[in-house]
Amino acid sequence: MQYNPGWNNSSVNLLHVRAVGPGDTLHYIWSSIGAPAVLLVATESPSSALRINWTQLLSPAPAGAVWIEPPSSVVYSAAVVFTKVFESSEAETLEELFYPTYDLSDFSWDSINRTLNHTALTAEFTGIPAADPGGSFSNGSLAFRVTAYEASGRDGPLPSLLHTANSSKVEFVLAGVVPRGNGSRFALEVATVEETGVAQKLRSERSIDDEYTPTIFEMLSLVAESQNDSSALSFLQWKATAYGSRTPRREDSIRCRSHGLQAANWTLPASSIVHAYFGEGAGSTYTVSAINISFGGEDGKVYQEKRYLSWSALLGFGQPPKDTFSPLVISIMAVALGTPMVMLLVGSCVVLIAQRKRYSEYEPIN
């Protein structure tokens, strides 16, 4: 993990996470320059390196300021941008009332240098609006917590996402932000940038097994698929829940919904890291898609009471991890389904033996 490589000023944030394999390298480049975003770049060289022209990156025209060397080693690149946060509540007329949108490209972000943990491989981007006339953020903040992984495993805290060494976690957190309405609900807009020939697909998988995330039976994945062979190139994966506590429990669950993946005809907001890598073709040469992820039940009271919201998602390369039944659940199912079958077989055998024994006492009549 490198913070602002080649730049000594902490007034801006760029975090480079590099995972090196025997024959390839995975690059995650997180930044809050403009709207918070992450670049995902896979190369077929174990020695590929990130290069940044900082003067150009921080200029009004950053196109070409970020690249991977050697360029020929890049086999796949994409970006995920967290663009806006919406707040709404239900008016007396039963219509949804929307408040002015929080544009994340207009936020002021703290230096992540003080939160960077090279041992735990974590960092936190914390920000507040540059202009906050209503004072909603006077005692609150919005944050994106980033975690990288060195091996496969499962997170301890809920929602206990299963991860691999090819993935990273991002956690969206609203803490202490004063809602602008009674029963306010929030939604996060997420945009993706993909190369030509790659399409985003939203998958929903349901399972009867909620062992690791109690009462939540749905997993959603936003998967980038190659249109040539339908292979998965990258993904953003999350459970259909958020939580209203710093130490989440089952009762802290907040309903999470995904609202239609759509092709974004609008241009991306000021997100220097995306424009710096993809150039001005983002939105024309490259495909931009967007999805809204909302948090809150019908009355939106959970956040109103606790003033805390946390939503976790996994992102990475290749196929998203897939949960399977644990040995404990398999054992329980085997006992639950196997015991009646054994009893039925044993009972049938006893009846057959009893019938044969009973009729064997009689001699056939001549």
Side-chain angles (χ1 to χ4, degrees):
M1 299 179 75
Q2 296 175 293
Y3 173 64
N4 287 354
W7 186 255
N8 294 323
N9 194 325
S10 60
S11 61
V12 295
N13 291 317
L14 188 145
L15 177 66
H16 178 213
V17 181
R18 184 166 167 260
V20 182
D24 57 5
T25 305
L26 304 178
H27 298 268
Y28 294 89
I29 304 151
W30 300 86
S31 176
S32 60
I33 302 173
V38 56
L39 292 174
L40 294 87
V41 184
T43 71
E44 55 185 3
S45 167
S47 59
S48 61
L50 174 68
R51 296 288 183 258
I52 303 172
N53 182 330
W54 281 97
T55 303
Q56 187 177 353
L57 177 61
L58 300 178
S59 72
V66 174
W67 70 98
I68 298 295
E69 200 171 85
S72 59
S73 67
V74 176
V75 293
Y76 173 74
S77 57
V80 177
V81 189
F82 303 98
T83 52
K84 297 174 183 177
V85 171
F86 302 101
E87 182 181 352
S88 64
S89 64
E90 196 172 89
E92 294 181 0
T93 58
L94 300 182
E95 293 182 357
E96 200 167 13
L97 173 65
F98 281 88
Y99 298 95
T101 303
Y102 292 117
D103 191 333
L104 300 186
S105 63
D106 294 331
F107 271 47
S108 174
W109 301 92
D110 293 343
S111 171
I112 67 168
N113 201 27
R114 61 182 179 83
T115 66
L116 188 58
N117 188 324
H118 290 274
T119 303
L121 300 179
T122 59
E124 183 172 329
F125 296 81
T126 304
I128 60 173
D132 185 24
S136 296
F137 279 80
S138 56
N139 293 310
S141 64
L142 180 151
F144 292 95
R145 295 173 183 165
V146 176
T147 303
Y149 299 109
E150 291 182 310
S152 298
R154 186 182 296 278
D155 272 355
L158 293 174
S160 304
L161 293 173
L162 180 68
H163 61 78
T164 68
N166 292 346
S167 58
S168 295
K169 184 181 77 170
V170 59
E171 185 180 359
F172 167 67
V173 178
L174 275 179
V177 178
V178 179
R180 291 173 285 185
N182 294 326
S184 282
R185 295 186 293 270
F186 294 91
L188 175 65
E189 183 181 75
V190 182
T192 62
V193 181
E194 294 290 345
E195 299 171 331
T196 304
V198 178
Q200 288 282 355
K201 298 290 179 64
L202 181 62
R203 299 178 183 172
S204 174
E205 294 184 4
R206 295 182 179 272
S207 170
I208 62 171
D209 184 9
D210 68 340
E211 177 185 5
Y212 299 106
T213 313
T215 73
I216 307 301
F217 301 94
E218 185 180 15
M219 175 78 83
L220 294 112
S221 302
L222 192 59
V223 182
E225 295 182 351
S226 170
Q227 294 178 336
N228 294 331
D229 53 11
S230 298
S231 60
L233 301 173
S234 66
F235 63 86
L236 181 72
Q237 183 185 61
W238 65 94
K239 285 274 193 177
T241 185
Y243 292 94
S245 172
R246 296 179 187 275
T247 55
R249 299 167 298 173
R250 183 181 64 182
E251 54 266 32
D252 300 317
S253 178
I254 297 175
R255 192 172 185 177
C256 173
R257 290 178 174 177
S258 302
H259 301 271
L261 174 67
Q262 296 182 349
N265 296 323
W266 38 263
T267 56
L268 281 173
S271 179
S272 296
I273 193 70
V274 175
H275 289 295
Y277 183 83
F278 289 101
E280 299 303 327
S284 55
T285 306
Y286 300 94
T287 304
V288 180
S289 304
I291 188 171
N292 288 341
I293 301 168
S294 64
F295 315 101
E298 296 303 321
D299 55 4
K301 294 295 183 184
V302 177
Y303 183 83
Q304 189 82 19
E305 295 170 358
K306 300 188 177 182
R307 301 280 175 90
Y308 191 87
L309 168 67
S310 169
W311 171 75
S312 300
L314 198 72
L315 54 87
F317 298 87
Q319 285 281 2
K322 190 171 183 179
D323 264 321
T324 56
F325 291 116
S326 69
L328 174 63
V329 172
I330 292 174
S331 301
I332 293 173
M333 292 175 65
V335 171
L337 298 176
T339 302
M341 292 298 297
V342 171
M343 293 177 65
L344 181 62
L345 289 172
V346 171
S348 300
C349 292
V350 170
V351 170
L352 289 173
I353 292 172
Q355 285 182 340
R356 180 175 296 180
K357 184 177 181 181
R358 192 170 99 191
Y359 287 110
S360 65
E361 294 175 356
Y362 295 90
E363 294 293 333
I365 298 174
N366 189 346

